[in-house]
Amino acid sequence: MTKPLPLGILASGSGTNLQAIIDAIEDGRVPAEIRVVICNRPGAVALERAAKHGIATEVLDHKAFKST
């Protein structure tokens, strides 16, 4: 049996793509493990989806950084 591919997912909104990846992993269609979800919007639904599945999250609020 091969080790699952470790993944980090970038999200910024509702997390529908994140949910599709979670579903594919849980159904055994994708041999991977999501290790972290990084989101640029505090309170995004994607963070709730990750938490529901026990996936670590980090928020890097893009508004906290100077734009050039």
Side-chain angles (χ1 to χ4, degrees):
M1 185 167 142
T2 46
K3 289 172 78 174
L5 178 67
L7 298 177
I9 305 291
L10 302 177
S12 65
S14 65
T16 54
N17 289 327
L18 168 64
Q19 188 64 57
I21 295 168
I22 290 169
D23 293 345
I25 291 169
E26 290 181 350
D27 292 346
R29 293 179 281 133
V30 175
E33 175 187 6
I34 302 172
R35 300 274 179 93
V36 65
V37 171
I38 301 170
C39 186
N40 67 326
R41 295 184 182 178
V45 175
L47 297 169
E48 295 173 24
R49 290 180 190 266
K52 180 180 175 185
H53 292 275
I55 301 167
T57 61
E58 290 290 333
V59 176
L60 295 174
D61 188 350
H62 63 285
K63 294 178 183 176
F65 298 93
K66 184 178 178 181
S67 179
T68 56

Coordinates of all heavy atoms in Angstrom, one line a residue:
M1 N 0.8 -1.2 0.0 CA 0.0 0.0 0.0 C 0.9 1.2 0.0 O 1.8 1.3 0.8 CB -0.9 0.0 1.2 CG -1.9 1.1 1.3 SD -3.1 0.8 2.5 CE -3.3 2.4 3.2
T2 N 0.6 2.2 -0.9 CA 1.4 3.4 -1.0 C 0.9 4.4 0.1 O -0.3 4.4 0.5 CB 1.3 4.1 -2.4 OG1 -0.1 4.1 -2.7 CG2 2.1 3.4 -3.4
K3 N 1.9 5.2 0.5 CA 1.5 6.3 1.5 C 0.7 7.3 0.8 O 0.9 7.7 -0.4 CB 2.8 7.0 2.0 CG 3.6 6.1 2.9 CD 5.0 6.7 3.2 CE 4.8 7.8 4.2 NZ 6.1 8.3 4.7
P4 N -0.3 7.9 1.5 CA -1.1 9.0 0.9 C -0.3 10.2 0.6 O 0.7 10.5 1.4 CB -2.2 9.2 1.9 CG -1.8 8.6 3.2 CD -0.7 7.6 2.8
L5 N -0.5 10.9 -0.4 CA 0.1 12.1 -0.8 C -0.3 13.2 0.2 O -1.5 13.5 0.3 CB -0.2 12.5 -2.2 CG 0.4 13.8 -2.7 CD1 1.9 13.7 -2.9 CD2 -0.3 14.2 -4.1
P6 N 0.7 13.9 0.9 CA 0.3 15.0 1.8 C 0.0 16.2 1.0 O 0.7 16.6 0.1 CB 1.5 15.2 2.6 CG 2.7 14.6 1.9 CD 2.1 13.6 1.0
L7 N -1.2 16.8 1.3 CA -1.6 18.0 0.6 C -1.8 19.2 1.5 O -2.2 19.1 2.7 CB -3.0 17.8 -0.1 CG -3.1 16.7 -1.1 CD1 -4.5 16.6 -1.6 CD2 -2.1 17.0 -2.3
G8 N -1.5 20.4 1.0 CA -1.9 21.7 1.6 C -2.8 22.3 0.6 O -2.5 22.4 -0.6
I9 N -4.0 22.8 1.0 CA -5.0 23.4 0.1 C -5.1 24.9 0.4 O -5.2 25.3 1.6 CB -6.4 22.7 0.4 CG1 -6.3 21.2 0.2 CG2 -7.4 23.3 -0.5 CD1 -6.0 20.7 -1.2
L10 N -5.1 25.7 -0.6 CA -5.3 27.1 -0.5 C -6.8 27.4 -0.9 O -7.3 26.9 -1.9 CB -4.4 27.9 -1.5 CG -2.9 27.7 -1.3 CD1 -2.2 28.4 -2.4 CD2 -2.5 28.1 0.0
A11 N -7.5 28.1 0.0 CA -8.9 28.4 -0.2 C -9.2 29.9 0.1 O -8.4 30.5 0.8 CB -9.7 27.5 0.7
S12 N -10.2 30.4 -0.5 CA -10.6 31.8 -0.2 C -12.1 32.1 0.0 O -12.5 33.2 0.2 CB -10.0 32.7 -1.3 OG -10.7 32.4 -2.5
G13 N -12.9 31.0 -0.1 CA -14.3 31.3 -0.1 C -15.1 30.1 0.5 O -14.8 29.7 1.6
S14 N -16.0 29.6 -0.2 CA -17.0 28.6 0.3 C -16.3 27.3 0.4 O -16.9 26.4 1.1 CB -18.2 28.6 -0.6 OG -17.9 28.1 -1.9
G15 N -15.3 27.0 -0.3 CA -14.6 25.7 -0.2 C -15.2 24.6 -0.9 O -15.1 23.4 -0.5
T16 N -15.9 24.9 -2.0 CA -16.6 23.8 -2.8 C -15.5 22.8 -3.4 O -15.7 21.6 -3.4 CB -17.6 24.3 -3.8 OG1 -16.9 25.2 -4.7 CG2 -18.7 25.0 -3.2
N17 N -14.5 23.4 -3.9 CA -13.4 22.5 -4.4 C -12.7 21.8 -3.3 O -12.4 20.6 -3.5 CB -12.4 23.4 -5.2 CG -12.9 23.9 -6.5 OD1 -13.7 23.3 -7.1 ND2 -12.4 25.1 -6.9
L18 N -12.5 22.4 -2.2 CA -12.0 21.7 -1.0 C -12.9 20.5 -0.7 O -12.4 19.4 -0.4 CB -11.9 22.7 0.2 CG -11.6 22.0 1.5 CD1 -10.2 21.3 1.6 CD2 -11.7 23.1 2.6
Q19 N -14.2 20.7 -0.6 CA -15.1 19.7 -0.3 C -15.0 18.5 -1.3 O -15.1 17.3 -0.9 CB -16.5 20.2 -0.2 CG -17.5 19.2 0.4 CD -17.2 18.8 1.8 OE1 -17.1 19.6 2.7 NE2 -16.9 17.5 2.1
A20 N -14.9 18.8 -2.5 CA -14.8 17.8 -3.6 C -13.5 17.0 -3.3 O -13.6 15.7 -3.5 CB -14.8 18.4 -5.0
I21 N -12.4 17.6 -3.0 CA -11.2 16.9 -2.7 C -11.4 16.0 -1.4 O -11.0 14.8 -1.4 CB -10.0 17.8 -2.5 CG1 -9.8 18.5 -3.9 CG2 -8.8 17.1 -2.1 CD1 -8.8 19.7 -3.8
I22 N -12.0 16.6 -0.4 CA -12.2 15.8 0.8 C -13.1 14.6 0.5 O -12.8 13.4 0.9 CB -12.9 16.7 1.9 CG1 -12.0 17.7 2.4 CG2 -13.5 15.8 3.0 CD1 -12.7 18.8 3.3
D23 N -14.1 14.8 -0.3 CA -15.0 13.6 -0.6 C -14.3 12.6 -1.4 O -14.5 11.4 -1.2 CB -16.2 14.1 -1.4 CG -17.2 15.0 -0.6 OD1 -17.1 15.0 0.6 OD2 -18.0 15.7 -1.3
A24 N -13.5 13.0 -2.3 CA -12.7 12.0 -3.2 C -11.7 11.2 -2.3 O -11.5 10.0 -2.5 CB -12.0 12.8 -4.3
I25 N -11.1 11.9 -1.3 CA -10.2 11.2 -0.4 C -10.9 10.2 0.4 O -10.6 9.0 0.6 CB -9.4 12.2 0.4 CG1 -8.4 13.0 -0.5 CG2 -8.7 11.5 1.5 CD1 -7.8 14.2 0.3
E26 N -12.1 10.7 1.0 CA -12.8 9.8 1.9 C -13.5 8.6 1.2 O -13.6 7.5 1.7 CB -13.9 10.6 2.6 CG -13.3 11.5 3.7 CD -14.4 12.4 4.4 OE1 -15.5 12.3 4.0 OE2 -14.0 13.0 5.4
D27 N -13.8 8.8 -0.1 CA -14.3 7.7 -1.0 C -13.3 6.8 -1.5 O -13.6 5.8 -2.1 CB -15.1 8.3 -2.1 CG -16.4 9.0 -1.7 OD1 -16.8 8.9 -0.6 OD2 -16.9 9.7 -2.6
G28 N -12.0 7.1 -1.2 CA -10.9 6.3 -1.7 C -10.5 6.5 -3.2 O -9.7 5.7 -3.7
R29 N -11.0 7.5 -3.8 CA -10.7 7.8 -5.2 C -9.4 8.5 -5.3 O -8.8 8.5 -6.4 CB -11.8 8.6 -5.8 CG -13.1 7.8 -6.0 CD -14.2 8.6 -6.6 NE -14.8 9.5 -5.6 CZ -15.0 10.8 -5.7 NH1 -14.8 11.4 -6.9 NH2 -15.6 11.5 -4.8
V30 N -8.9 9.2 -4.3 CA -7.7 10.0 -4.4 C -6.8 9.5 -3.2 O -7.3 9.7 -2.0 CB -7.9 11.5 -4.3 CG1 -6.6 12.3 -4.2 CG2 -8.7 11.9 -5.5
P31 N -5.7 9.0 -3.4 CA -4.8 8.5 -2.3 C -4.0 9.7 -1.7 O -2.8 9.8 -2.0 CB -3.9 7.5 -3.0 CG -3.8 8.0 -4.4 CD -5.1 8.6 -4.7
A32 N -4.7 10.5 -0.9 CA -4.0 11.7 -0.4 C -4.5 12.0 1.0 O -5.5 11.4 1.5 CB -4.3 12.9 -1.3
E33 N -3.8 12.9 1.7 CA -4.3 13.3 3.0 C -4.1 14.8 3.1 O -3.0 15.3 2.8 CB -3.4 12.7 4.1 CG -3.7 13.2 5.5 CD -2.7 12.6 6.5 OE1 -1.7 11.9 6.1 OE2 -2.9 12.8 7.7
I34 N -5.1 15.6 3.4 CA -5.0 17.0 3.5 C -4.4 17.3 4.9 O -5.0 17.0 5.9 CB -6.4 17.7 3.3 CG1 -7.0 17.4 2.0 CG2 -6.2 19.2 3.5 CD1 -8.4 17.9 1.7
R35 N -3.3 18.0 4.9 CA -2.6 18.3 6.2 C -3.0 19.7 6.7 O -3.0 19.9 7.9 CB -1.1 18.2 6.0 CG -0.6 16.9 5.5 CD -0.3 16.0 6.7 NE 0.2 14.7 6.3 CZ 1.4 14.3 6.2 NH1 2.4 15.2 6.4 NH2 1.8 13.1 5.8
V36 N -3.3 20.6 5.8 CA -3.6 21.9 6.2 C -4.4 22.6 5.1 O -4.3 22.4 3.9 CB -2.4 22.8 6.5 CG1 -1.5 23.0 5.3 CG2 -2.7 24.1 7.2
V37 N -5.3 23.5 5.6 CA -6.1 24.4 4.6 C -5.7 25.8 5.0 O -5.8 26.2 6.2 CB -7.6 24.2 4.7 CG1 -8.3 25.3 4.0 CG2 -8.0 22.8 4.3
I38 N -5.1 26.5 4.1 CA -4.7 27.9 4.3 C -5.7 28.8 3.6 O -6.0 28.6 2.4 CB -3.3 28.2 3.8 CG1 -2.3 27.2 4.5 CG2 -2.9 29.6 4.0 CD1 -0.9 27.2 4.0
C39 N -6.2 29.8 4.3 CA -7.3 30.7 3.7 C -6.9 32.1 3.9 O -6.3 32.5 5.0 CB -8.6 30.3 4.4 SG -10.0 31.2 3.7
N40 N -7.3 33.0 3.0 CA -7.0 34.4 3.1 C -8.1 35.2 3.7 O -8.0 36.4 3.8 CB -6.5 35.0 1.8 CG -7.6 35.0 0.8 OD1 -8.5 34.1 0.7 ND2 -7.6 36.0 -0.1
R41 N -9.2 34.5 4.0 CA -10.4 35.3 4.5 C -10.9 34.7 5.9 O -11.4 33.5 5.9 CB -11.5 35.2 3.5 CG -11.2 35.9 2.3 CD -12.3 36.0 1.3 NE -11.9 36.6 0.1 CZ -12.7 36.8 -0.9 NH1 -13.9 36.3 -0.9 NH2 -12.3 37.4 -2.0
P42 N -10.7 35.4 7.0 CA -11.2 34.9 8.2 C -12.7 34.7 8.1 O -13.4 35.4 7.5 CB -10.9 36.0 9.2 CG -9.8 36.9 8.6 CD -10.1 36.7 7.1
G43 N -13.2 33.6 8.7 CA -14.6 33.3 8.6 C -15.1 32.7 7.4 O -16.3 32.4 7.2
A44 N -14.2 32.3 6.5 CA -14.7 31.7 5.2 C -15.2 30.3 5.5 O -14.8 29.6 6.4 CB -13.5 31.6 4.2
V45 N -16.2 29.9 4.7 CA -16.9 28.6 4.9 C -15.9 27.5 4.7 O -16.0 26.4 5.3 CB -18.0 28.5 3.9 CG1 -18.7 27.1 4.0 CG2 -19.1 29.5 4.2
A46 N -14.8 27.7 3.9 CA -13.8 26.7 3.7 C -13.2 26.3 5.0 O -12.9 25.1 5.2 CB -12.8 27.2 2.7
L47 N -13.0 27.2 5.9 CA -12.4 26.9 7.2 C -13.3 26.0 8.0 O -12.9 25.1 8.8 CB -12.1 28.2 8.0 CG -11.1 29.1 7.3 CD1 -11.0 30.5 8.0 CD2 -9.7 28.5 7.3
E48 N -14.6 26.3 7.9 CA -15.6 25.4 8.6 C -15.6 24.0 8.1 O -15.7 23.0 8.8 CB -17.0 26.0 8.5 CG -17.2 27.4 9.2 CD -18.5 28.0 8.9 OE1 -19.5 27.3 8.6 OE2 -18.6 29.2 8.9
R49 N -15.5 23.9 6.8 CA -15.5 22.6 6.1 C -14.2 21.8 6.6 O -14.3 20.6 6.9 CB -15.4 22.7 4.6 CG -16.7 23.2 4.0 CD -16.5 23.3 2.5 NE -17.6 24.0 1.8 CZ -18.6 23.4 1.3 NH1 -18.8 22.1 1.3 NH2 -19.6 24.1 0.6
A50 N -13.1 22.5 6.7 CA -11.9 21.8 7.1 C -12.0 21.4 8.6 O -11.7 20.2 8.9 CB -10.7 22.7 6.9
A51 N -12.5 22.3 9.4 CA -12.6 21.9 10.8 C -13.6 20.7 11.0 O -13.3 19.9 11.9 CB -13.1 23.2 11.6
K52 N -14.6 20.7 10.3 CA -15.6 19.6 10.4 C -14.9 18.2 10.1 O -15.3 17.2 10.6 CB -16.7 19.8 9.4 CG -17.8 18.7 9.4 CD -18.9 19.0 8.3 CE -19.9 17.9 8.3 NZ -20.9 18.1 7.2
H53 N -13.9 18.2 9.3 CA -13.2 17.0 9.0 C -11.9 16.8 9.7 O -11.0 16.0 9.4 CB -12.9 16.9 7.5 CG -14.2 16.8 6.7 ND1 -14.8 15.6 6.4 CD2 -15.0 17.7 6.1 CE1 -15.9 15.8 5.8 NE2 -16.1 17.0 5.6
G54 N -11.6 17.7 10.7 CA -10.5 17.6 11.6 C -9.2 18.0 10.9 O -8.1 17.5 11.3
I55 N -9.3 18.8 9.9 CA -8.1 19.3 9.2 C -7.6 20.6 9.8 O -8.4 21.5 10.0 CB -8.4 19.5 7.7 CG1 -8.9 18.2 7.1 CG2 -7.2 20.0 6.9 CD1 -9.6 18.3 5.7
A56 N -6.3 20.7 10.0 CA -5.7 21.9 10.5 C -5.9 23.1 9.5 O -6.0 22.9 8.3 CB -4.2 21.7 10.7
T57 N -6.1 24.3 10.1 CA -6.3 25.5 9.3 C -5.4 26.6 9.7 O -5.0 26.7 10.9 CB -7.8 26.0 9.4 OG1 -8.0 26.4 10.7 CG2 -8.8 25.0 8.9
E58 N -5.1 27.5 8.8 CA -4.3 28.7 9.0 C -5.0 29.8 8.2 O -5.5 29.6 7.1 CB -2.9 28.6 8.6 CG -2.0 27.7 9.4 CD -1.8 28.2 10.8 OE1 -1.8 29.5 11.0 OE2 -1.6 27.4 11.7
V59 N -5.1 31.0 8.8 CA -5.6 32.2 8.1 C -4.5 33.2 7.9 O -3.8 33.6 8.8 CB -6.8 32.8 8.9 CG1 -7.2 34.1 8.2 CG2 -7.9 31.8 9.1
L60 N -4.3 33.6 6.7 CA -3.3 34.6 6.3 C -4.1 35.7 5.6 O -4.3 35.7 4.4 CB -2.2 34.1 5.4 CG -1.3 33.1 5.9 CD1 -0.4 32.5 4.9 CD2 -0.5 33.6 7.1
D61 N -4.6 36.6 6.4 CA -5.5 37.7 5.9 C -4.7 38.6 5.0 O -3.8 39.3 5.4 CB -6.1 38.5 7.1 CG -7.2 39.5 6.7 OD1 -7.3 39.7 5.5 OD2 -7.9 40.0 7.6
H62 N -5.1 38.6 3.7 CA -4.4 39.4 2.7 C -4.5 40.9 3.0 O -3.6 41.6 2.5 CB -4.9 39.0 1.3 CG -6.3 39.4 1.1 ND1 -7.4 38.6 1.6 CD2 -6.9 40.4 0.4 CE1 -8.5 39.2 1.3 NE2 -8.2 40.3 0.6
K63 N -5.4 41.3 3.7 CA -5.6 42.7 4.0 C -4.5 43.2 5.0 O -4.3 44.4 5.1 CB -6.9 43.0 4.6 CG -8.1 42.8 3.6 CD -9.4 43.0 4.2 CE -10.5 42.7 3.1 NZ -11.8 42.8 3.7
A64 N -3.8 42.3 5.7 CA -2.8 42.7 6.6 C -1.4 43.0 5.9 O -0.5 43.4 6.6 CB -2.6 41.6 7.6
F65 N -1.4 42.8 4.6 CA -0.1 43.0 3.9 C -0.2 44.1 2.9 O -1.2 44.3 2.3 CB 0.3 41.7 3.1 CG 0.5 40.5 4.0 CD1 -0.6 39.7 4.3 CD2 1.7 40.3 4.6 CE1 -0.4 38.6 5.2 CE2 1.9 39.2 5.5 CZ 0.9 38.4 5.7
K66 N 0.9 44.9 2.9 CA 0.9 46.0 2.0 C 0.9 45.6 0.5 O 1.6 44.6 0.1 CB 2.2 46.8 2.2 CG 2.3 48.1 1.4 CD 3.6 48.9 1.8 CE 3.7 50.1 1.0 NZ 4.9 50.8 1.3
S67 N 0.1 46.2 -0.3 CA 0.1 45.9 -1.7 C 0.9 46.9 -2.5 O 1.0 48.1 -2.2 CB -1.4 46.0 -2.2 OG -1.5 45.8 -3.6
T68 N 1.7 46.4 -3.5 CA 2.5 47.2 -4.3 C 2.1 47.4 -5.7 O 1.3 46.7 -6.2 CB 4.0 46.7 -4.3 OG1 3.9 45.4 -4.9 CG2 4.6 46.7 -3.0

